[in-house]
Amino acid sequence: MNYNVKHLQIYLIFLCVATFFSCKQAGKPNVDDIKLDIKIERFDQDLYAGKHKKIEETDLLLRKKYNYFYDDYIHRMVGDKSYSDAEILATLYKDQAYTDLNAEADSVFKDMRPIEQELTQTFKYIKYYFPQVKVPKFISFISGFSVQTPIGDGYMGIGLDMFLGKDSKFYRAIVKSVPLYLSRRFTPDYVAPRITETFAREELFPSKDDNHSLLSKMVENGKILYFMDQVLPDNTSDTLKIGYTDKQLEWCKTFEGNIWAYLIENNLLFETDSQKIQMYLTEAPFTPGLGLKNESAPKLGVWIGWQMVRKYMAENPKVTLQELMKEQDPQKILNGAKYKPKM
């Protein structure tokens, strides 16, 4: 549910053990000297407060304070340029669903400090590895389930209505457009992982158009998840990074060797037909053809790619995170990983 305002791309696309597959480095770097204190700007609250003021006054105040974000919000997230700012604001304020969503978001997100602290620590690590990175402003909003973590000119948005908790009454009402296997991840503890993933995919390591084979996509996604391993707080579970349930993660661990054997036996690693490989990369309730009674986890190519990259970094301890993320040869990662999980 992420989209990049600048690139107009949509992404419907989250216990470590002391083995070669460990998701933690043996001690993360000390980032205490990096000066950063992220604060989330509450556009959602400022917008709702304008409900009791003159529309024109609210429009001017929000445009002055939020600049590019406000324009994107009004004309790309909840409306379009065929309507004026005032018309869109008036329509929002008359909509009972907007009022109800705002009340729910206020209830769930009374205190943003835990999320701010998590993002601060994460972006300190990002700055440590990539000092040139400009940390964006973080702005919370409600868009009626339009977007989750948009990126725009100098900002990253946090769509609070898509992090209300898996049992929110609103998600049952939109199940036709957002199935429950997706909305079960719309919880507050997913905010930092989704922000981190979106920032990595959109700003730091955008996908290469010439990466067509399943292996290249596996490694590309595996590198993103390994990056998340290194920058998210140590207590961030693998389930939050990739978006699995505990049961799905355990299934993958149990049948890792079988998954790998299936990909090899069916000559899928170097397959370039997008229709054939998408089922191993995209969101779904399960992966067809693997597992009994639809109990398999989805996007198994992504998960295997993650384990391959972890193994590669364990086998090549002199390779830095920066060097890994620059590497564009998936065959080098495969060979260097010596990846042969047991069945």
Side-chain angles (χ1 to χ4, degrees):
M1 293 296 158
N2 308 327
Y3 90 98
N4 185 313
V5 173
K6 293 186 290 186
H7 304 301
L8 291 179
Q9 295 175 334
I10 296 177
Y11 289 87
L12 294 169
I13 44 164
F14 258 9
L15 295 165
C16 301
V17 292
T19 69
F20 280 133
F21 298 97
S22 173
C23 69
K24 304 297 186 294
Q25 286 182 319
K28 285 186 175 179
N30 188 317
V31 294
D32 292 344
D33 291 338
I34 296 177
K35 304 302 180 185
L36 185 64
D37 186 18
I38 287 175
K39 299 297 181 185
I40 298 171
E41 299 181 38
R42 294 298 299 264
F43 173 80
D44 56 303
Q45 294 181 345
D46 289 344
L47 174 62
Y48 191 77
K51 183 176 182 179
H52 307 294
K53 301 176 183 178
K54 292 182 179 179
I55 293 289
E56 293 76 13
E57 178 184 339
T58 297
D59 180 39
L60 287 174
L61 185 151
L62 293 176
R63 184 164 291 283
K64 181 178 180 180
K65 183 173 181 178
Y66 292 100
N67 200 358
Y68 294 112
F69 172 82
Y70 182 63
D71 191 64
D72 288 336
Y73 179 83
I74 289 293
H75 296 299
R76 305 176 88 163
M77 299 184 201
V78 299
D80 59 53
K81 290 188 179 294
S82 62
Y83 298 93
S84 69
D85 296 4
E87 288 174 321
I88 293 171
L89 288 176
T91 300
L92 269 180
Y93 291 147
K94 292 175 184 177
D95 189 344
Q96 185 60 42
Y98 164 73
T99 299
D100 293 343
L101 267 178
N102 191 81
E104 181 90 350
D106 268 351
S107 175
V108 174
F109 294 98
K110 293 178 181 178
D111 183 4
M112 300 294 276
R113 283 176 295 179
I115 296 174
E116 291 171 339
Q117 290 168 359
E118 194 171 357
L119 288 174
T120 295
Q121 190 68 12
T122 293
F123 275 82
K124 279 187 176 185
Y125 284 125
I126 293 175
K127 289 285 288 182
Y128 174 86
Y129 290 112
F130 301 94
Q132 76 283 5
V133 165
K134 295 184 68 174
V135 178
K137 291 181 180 180
F138 292 91
I139 303 172
S140 63
F141 66 95
I142 292 169
S143 67
F145 317 109
S146 173
V147 286
Q148 190 177 46
T149 53
I151 297 182
D153 194 339
Y155 74 79
M156 283 199 73
I158 304 173
L160 298 184
D161 48 340
M162 299 181 77
F163 292 106
L164 295 174
K166 65 183 180 65
D167 296 322
S168 171
K169 61 185 178 182
F170 295 102
Y171 302 148
R172 297 281 175 180
I174 61 171
V175 68
K176 288 186 178 180
S177 56
V178 183
L180 294 179
Y181 71 82
L182 290 178
S183 65
R184 67 165 182 79
R185 303 197 301 253
F186 290 179
T187 63
D189 53 357
Y190 270 97
V191 172
R194 294 289 64 75
I195 284 286
T196 304
E197 181 182 14
T198 302
F199 190 76
R201 291 185 184 278
E202 294 288 331
E203 293 294 291
L204 298 180
F205 320 110
S207 178
K208 303 291 184 180
D209 291 337
D210 55 350
N211 292 343
H212 297 304
S213 71
L214 178 59
L215 176 63
S216 67
K217 293 297 183 184
M218 289 167 61
V219 171
E220 181 182 280
N221 282 281
K223 285 162 58 179
I224 294 293
L225 284 160
Y226 184 84
F227 171 82
M228 293 170 68
D229 286 339
Q230 308 314 307
V231 301
L232 285 168
D234 287 341
N235 62 352
T236 307
S237 69
D238 282 1
T239 54
L240 288 176
K241 293 169 192 169
I242 196 169
Y244 282 171
T245 63
D246 290 335
K247 186 176 180 180
Q248 287 172 335
L249 183 62
E250 287 306 311
W251 187 92
C252 284
K253 290 179 178 180
T254 300
F255 296 105
E256 182 177 355
N258 302 76
I259 300 167
W260 180 246
Y262 180 88
L263 296 177
I264 298 296
E265 291 167 5
N266 288 276
N267 300 312
L268 288 168
L269 287 189
F270 301 101
E271 178 61 66
T272 58
D273 185 325
S274 61
Q275 290 188 328
K276 290 183 180 180
I277 67 177
Q278 279 303 103
M279 72 173 67
Y280 306 107
L281 301 170
T282 57
E283 300 290 358
F286 59 90
T287 299
L290 283 155
L292 300 174
K293 300 179 181 179
N294 298 336
E295 63 183 4
S296 62
K299 54 186 181 185
L300 293 177
V302 175
W303 190 79
I304 290 292
W306 189 12
Q307 310 319 305
M308 187 188 300
V309 172
R310 284 174 167 176
K311 184 65 159 52
Y312 173 80
M313 294 301 282
E315 292 285 346
N316 299 273
K318 292 184 179 180
V319 175
T320 66
L321 179 62
Q322 297 92 327
E323 290 170 338
L324 170 70
M325 302 311 292
K326 285 182 180 178
E327 182 57 62
Q328 296 300 313
D329 185 356
Q331 188 67 51
K332 180 178 178 180
I333 301 294
L334 174 61
N335 295 340
K338 301 176 185 177
Y339 184 68
K340 295 179 181 179
K342 295 180 179 179
M343 293 179 64

